[in-house]
Amino acid sequence: MSQIDTLPPLRDVIRDHDLQARKSLGQNFLLDLNLTLKVARTAGDLSGTTVLEVGPGPGGLTRALLVAGARRVVAVEKDPRCLPALEQIAAHYPGRLEIVRGDALALSLSEIAAGGPLKIVANLPYNVGTQLLIDWITGENWPPVWQSLTLMFQKEVAERIVAPPGSKAYGRLGVLAGWRCHATLAFEVGAKAFTPPPKVTSAIVHLTPRASPLACDLKALEKLTAAAFGQRRKMLRASLKPLAGDAEDRLRSVGIEPTERAEQLSIEQFVALANAFAQA
């Protein structure tokens, strides 16, 4: 693989800093710098932009984001072993890389976004990726402080995020993502691109916020989709009955037959139904 800058190859960085990926941290390091540059470019024009990266590890994607022109990269890393490698990158790109040691689940996006337009680009740790996405797309204030999300997930999770109604992968995650965002699967990444190679294929998902998503009671939508897809083989009149004794009446009030199943409903129907169930 060719280099994208004059810093050492990532394999050398991992060897020199003894950075063996830890399963407990959901780590799989992406070594191909040309591939990390492709991920960075999927996020669009980064000039003048602050980019938040979660779980940078040895910094392969971090370097690509800087090469792609990000004005400022905020790299949040929980593993202290990775900090010296990231500090080496910071020295190479003075004033453009801010390293934060901590837990991404505790971040304040509004504070990071105070420095200018914000995009989030990350090869997310497998063990927290889905929770981070849900946190970012279900924020109380909308439109959000971020302009886009360009994120790597296991292919199975990526397919659930972009799944259309009626598909096998369509579920709670697809409803939440589709309600507030335009989501596309950009490209797949084979296991051999990582060290250690995971047992699954990965994929890049790109999300941009809808300016005016349908008005909806978020808590009701989350409860509704959890109940509906938690028993997806059941008809809605049965799966939603624990939420309200008059579930059938509420279904009919928004034009949905009680005999339908969750995967048959559009996002618009789920929103209408959530609002109906939010009412006393």
Side-chain angles (χ1 to χ4, degrees):
M1 75 189 75
S2 61
Q3 290 295 101
I4 62 173
D5 56 22
T6 58
L7 286 165
L10 283 173
R11 290 191 186 278
D12 293 351
V13 173
I14 289 171
R15 181 199 64 218
D16 294 345
H17 295 282
D18 194 24
L19 293 178
Q20 302 304 314
R22 289 182 176 173
K23 188 175 182 180
S24 62
L25 295 174
Q27 291 175 328
N28 293 90
F29 299 146
L30 192 58
L31 294 190
D32 187 334
L33 289 170
N34 291 301
L35 186 53
T36 62
L37 195 55
K38 184 178 180 180
V39 175
R41 288 171 175 162
T42 301
D45 184 6
L46 300 181
S47 58
T49 300
T50 293
V51 177
L52 170 64
E53 183 190 5
V54 175
L61 181 55
T62 314
R63 288 162 63 173
L65 292 168
L66 292 163
V67 168
R71 181 183 61 81
R72 170 179 173 241
V73 174
V74 178
V76 181
E77 180 55 65
K78 191 175 183 179
D79 186 354
R81 300 176 306 145
C82 297
L83 300 184
L86 295 172
E87 288 164 358
Q88 187 177 13
I89 299 171
H92 190 78
Y93 295 94
R96 296 176 60 199
L97 175 58
E98 179 182 338
I99 304 164
V100 178
R101 181 185 174 186
D103 188 342
L105 292 168
L107 284 177
S108 169
L109 293 187
S110 58
E111 290 181 8
I112 296 172
L118 174 66
K119 294 185 177 184
I120 302 176
V121 186
N123 170 20
L124 292 175
Y126 282 164
N127 56 353
V128 296
T130 302
Q131 185 57 56
L132 282 169
L133 174 64
I134 291 173
D135 288 351
W136 292 333
I137 64 176
T138 59
E140 185 175 341
N141 297 318
W142 203 267
V145 295
W146 47 266
Q147 291 184 339
S148 67
L149 307 174
T150 306
L151 308 172
M152 187 180 297
F153 295 94
Q154 296 179 45
K155 181 183 175 182
E156 179 184 351
V157 176
E159 289 175 338
R160 285 165 47 203
I161 294 167
V162 304
S167 65
K168 186 177 180 181
Y170 185 56
R172 174 173 175 259
L173 196 53
V175 173
L176 290 175
W179 165 50
R180 277 194 159 174
C181 300
H182 300 280
T184 57
L185 197 156
F187 60 92
E188 296 180 9
V189 181
K192 291 182 180 179
F194 299 88
T195 183
K199 296 180 180 179
V200 295
T201 299
S202 299
I204 299 294
V205 176
H206 183 69
L207 302 100
T208 54
R210 296 182 185 273
S212 301
L214 294 170
C216 183
D217 184 296
L218 174 59
K219 290 184 179 180
L221 182 62
E222 290 184 310
K223 288 177 64 176
L224 180 75
T225 52
F229 288 107
Q231 303 181 73
R232 62 189 303 149
R233 296 181 67 181
K234 289 188 176 182
M235 296 178 184
L236 288 170
R237 65 185 181 190
S239 61
L240 300 183
K241 192 171 183 179
L243 299 183
D246 60 347
E248 288 197 35
D249 293 338
R250 298 190 189 215
L251 283 158
R252 290 196 177 95
S253 73
V254 292
I256 299 172
E257 287 298 318
T259 53
E260 291 197 58
R261 291 177 171 81
E263 65 268 18
Q264 297 173 281
L265 300 191
S266 67
I267 292 171
E268 292 77 11
Q269 286 176 306
F270 267 112
V271 168
L273 192 55
N275 290 333
F277 271 78
Q279 299 170 9

